[in-house]
Amino acid sequence: MSDTSFYLTTPIYYVNSVPHLGTAYTTVAADALARYRRMMGDDVHFLTGLDEHGQKVEQAAAEHGMTPQEWCDSIAPKFQSVWELLEISNDDFIRTTEPRHERGVQQLAQVLYDRGDIYKGHYEGWYCVPDETYWTEGDLGEGQTCPQCGRVVESVREDNYFFKLSAYADELLALYEANPGFVGPETRRNEVLSFVKGGLKDLSISRSNVKWGVPLPWDETHTMYVWFDALINYITAVGYGDPARADEFARRWPAQVHFVGKDIIRFHCVIWPALLLAAGLPVPKTVFAHGFLLTKGEKMSKSKGNAQSPQDLVAKFGVDAYRYYFLRDVQFGMDGSISMEAMVQRINGDLANDWGNLCSRLFNMVGKYFDGQVPDPAGAPLLTPEDTVLREIALALPGRFAAAMDRLDYAGSLEATWDLVKGANRYIEDSAPWNLAKSEETMGRLGAVLYNALEAVRIAALFCAPAMPLTSAEVWQRMGLSDIRTVTDLPAQSAWGHLPVGNTVVKGDPLFPRIDKDAE
Ligand code: ME8
């Protein structure tokens, strides 16, 4: 394992809801990066988890006649099982009600208190319970509604403890200036900059009327504001607050990427780094905020009722097709419309026709012409122009893929991969193996053509693996190769000519059955 720690996180999701397309979107995207970095040999640590405290959870539990802890315990397995279904390869799953977290949160609060960054004050203003966010009168929409979610806010009058957020504005601006990659994408960076330049107010970090939370260590009549508690999960999960895990914390922190949606950018790009700066801890390398998934005119659910859940879509299309669609069809960082039509089109076009069909017909020909064994390309040593073109596409892919993934441009990374998939299909058309098979004299060339096409498939499967781990593993297995999920040397593996001659190739069932449009 390499020395390079690559620590990445998703938001910890509220337990007032079960996993849905939005939370699954962030989690799948983070998973694809985690898988890619593992393939690059990094020592990856991928964290997701649950945000279990606060007024909203207190209320949800009461509505269901449960204690808050019982409520959380009933929701947590639902997240874990959906993440398993979606092949999420998280290394840890943190719940903010765990002692390891509560201990660390209390420690951080105490550090800030001791440094004089927390003081007691009085809060009078508005609070949106679903968003767990404080608002001032001037922020509100018509009818005293939350400017973010549009729901009616509550009036709050409490003695609270405040964090001196306003004192960190200059340091935050210096941070954004010195680290242009701290907030991504660029549009979000501008939003954060103008927010901070507009002036920061101190932040209430405790609630005296909410019982379901971590008590402040110096005043147990207050519980911590749920966002203060939640943000700190990113460090408590990797050992902050536990002397026995000091080495682990030093190795893992700071994180490489926090994946978040654009709705929670201020918490992650303003409050979180200010808390870390105040505590004298390093800030994360990047907070990347993706856009919202939008369903045009309820297309996802209209005809089929409840097709909105990840489970329903996976049952219909399979997990790899699900993951591929969201990563390929929505430009990561922008809002994106999703629809059943677009999903079926991607599955039938890119997956069934281009990729699945390439594997089927190629493996079929190897079975038919070479008894299911990888032929020796040495029978036709000369490179034709078609051979050269195919190899060049394959040689360019690792660099193009890496550049796209470094920008978290999943669509771009898959587009680069599809150049090879399409190139291989074209290569087969142009080389017409079925004609070469007609004469003994061209059998050498036939072997070379099939070898080259198989090699393109082997390499394409490698680059499909972060998005589509199951089918890539299946393709490698059908080619007699090792478990693709154990690859940690992607650059070496993606060099041309690794496919062993004589490997057994089996055709198998279609990787991606075509979806009958009328059935949808
Ligand atoms: O905010 N499109 O949790 P949450 C894309 N507990 N992504 C979406 C989405 C949509 N329509 N809807 C939700 C919280 N998401 C806090 C986080 S972190 C310290 C605490 C995704 O359950 C997106 O990542 O409301 C968004 O930021 C997140 O779910 C909000 O999840």
Side-chain angles (χ1 to χ4, degrees), residues 12-14 20 22-23 26 51 227 234 261 263-264 290-293:
I12 49 170
Y13 304 111
Y14 286 130
H20 51 73
T23 45
T26 321
D51 191 353
W227 268 102
Y234 299 131
D263 50 333
I264 54 177
H290 62 70
F292 282 158
L293 299 179

Side-chain angles (χ1 to χ4, degrees), residues 10-18 20-27 49-52 56 79 96 130-132 148 226-234 259-265 267-268 272 290-295 335-336 338:
T10 71
I12 49 170
Y13 304 111
Y14 286 130
V15 289
N16 66 312
S17 162
V18 291
H20 51 73
L21 298 183
T23 45
Y25 179 62
T26 321
T27 312
L50 296 177
D51 191 353
E52 301 191 339
K56 179 162 53 171
F79 273 89
T96 53
D131 285 346
E132 300 280 15
Q148 184 148 305
V226 63
W227 268 102
F228 179 81
D229 166 357
L231 287 163
I232 300 169
N233 93 87
Y234 299 131
F259 282 84
V260 297
K262 67 178 187 180
D263 50 333
I264 54 177
I265 192 130
F267 293 101
H268 284 83
W272 179 224
H290 62 70
F292 282 158
L293 299 179
L294 310 168
T295 45
D335 288 348
I338 51 170

Side-chain angles (χ1 to χ4, degrees), residues 9-300:
T9 67
T10 71
I12 49 170
Y13 304 111
Y14 286 130
V15 289
N16 66 312
S17 162
V18 291
H20 51 73
L21 298 183
T23 45
Y25 179 62
T26 321
T27 312
V28 164
D31 184 68
L33 182 66
R35 287 177 181 275
Y36 169 61
R37 295 310 322 179
R38 287 192 198 102
M39 292 179 85
M40 292 298 282
D42 291 349
D43 176 13
V44 168
H45 192 72
F46 173 21
L47 174 72
T48 186
L50 296 177
D51 191 353
E52 301 191 339
H53 287 130
Q55 199 172 347
K56 179 162 53 171
V57 174
E58 207 169 49
Q59 284 177 359
E63 280 161 23
H64 290 83
M66 293 186 195
T67 65
Q69 191 64 59
E70 283 168 351
W71 171 252
C72 296
D73 292 347
S74 74
I75 298 292
K78 299 191 178 171
F79 273 89
Q80 280 163 315
S81 72
V82 174
W83 296 161
E84 251 171 61
L85 176 74
L86 293 177
E87 290 292 320
I88 304 302
S89 63
N90 53 302
D91 298 289
D92 193 3
F93 187 89
I94 190 158
R95 298 177 53 187
T96 53
T97 50
E98 288 175 70
R100 62 168 172 161
H101 174 70
E102 297 192 352
R103 212 172 28 233
V105 169
Q106 287 197 320
Q107 176 169 322
L108 193 100
Q110 189 70 53
V111 167
L112 301 184
Y113 189 59
D114 293 345
R115 290 189 180 207
D117 271 316
I118 291 179
Y119 62 92
K120 197 167 185 179
H122 182 74
Y123 181 79
E124 226 178 297
W126 302 93
Y127 195 78
C128 172
V129 179
D131 285 346
E132 300 280 15
T133 303
Y134 295 101
W135 299 109
T136 60
E137 182 82 41
D139 293 327
L140 301 185
E142 230 173 89
Q144 288 168 337
T145 51
C146 168
Q148 184 148 305
C149 70
R151 284 170 286 203
V152 175
V153 291
E154 286 187 355
S155 138
V156 173
R157 283 182 180 76
E158 286 179 348
D159 283 340
N160 288 347
Y161 286 90
F162 285 80
F163 168 64
K164 287 185 186 166
L165 181 62
S166 60
Y168 288 90
D170 290 343
E171 265 186 82
L172 286 170
L173 291 171
L175 165 73
Y176 309 141
E177 175 80 19
N179 304 284
F182 177 72
V183 186
E186 187 70 22
T187 44
R188 298 291 155 225
R189 182 169 184 268
N190 297 337
E191 178 188 321
V192 169
L193 273 176
S194 64
F195 177 72
V196 175
K197 283 182 181 160
L200 294 178
K201 285 195 286 291
D202 289 350
L203 174 76
S204 162
I205 55 109
S206 77
R207 299 292 312 270
S208 44
N209 292 332
V210 176
K211 295 288 157 261
W212 184 237
V214 186
L216 290 178
W218 63 88
D219 182 350
E220 301 224 330
T221 63
H222 286 248
T223 57
M224 290 182 205
Y225 169 43
V226 63
W227 268 102
F228 179 81
D229 166 357
L231 287 163
I232 300 169
N233 93 87
Y234 299 131
I235 56 176
T236 57
V238 289
Y240 178 82
D242 183 353
R245 294 174 69 199
D247 288 349
E248 182 189 349
F249 180 59
R251 172 168 169 65
R252 289 295 180 200
W253 190 255
Q256 262 62 35
V257 193
H258 289 319
F259 282 84
V260 297
K262 67 178 187 180
D263 50 333
I264 54 177
I265 192 130
R266 287 183 195 174
F267 293 101
H268 284 83
C269 296
V270 181
I271 298 173
W272 179 224
L275 293 175
L276 291 165
L277 290 168
L281 293 168
V283 299
K285 300 278 181 232
T286 298
V287 176
F288 195 93
H290 62 70
F292 282 158
L293 299 179
L294 310 168
T295 45
K296 275 189 284 171
E298 292 178 65
K299 272 195 184 123
M300 294 297 286

Side-chain angles (χ1 to χ4, degrees), residues 378-436:
L382 288 182
L383 286 185
T384 66
E386 290 83 21
D387 297 349
T388 311
V389 168
L390 183 65
R391 272 190 203 199
E392 277 172 4
I393 299 172
L395 287 177
L397 177 54
R400 291 180 62 201
F401 190 92
M405 286 302 271
D406 290 349
R407 297 191 301 270
L408 298 180
D409 174 8
Y410 297 100
S413 76
L414 289 165
E415 222 170 289
T417 307
W418 248 249
D419 282 350
L420 182 59
V421 169
K422 289 184 174 158
N425 275 320
R426 229 175 9 249
Y427 177 75
I428 292 175
E429 289 305 318
D430 294 347
S431 311
W434 40 90
N435 289 337
L436 298 172

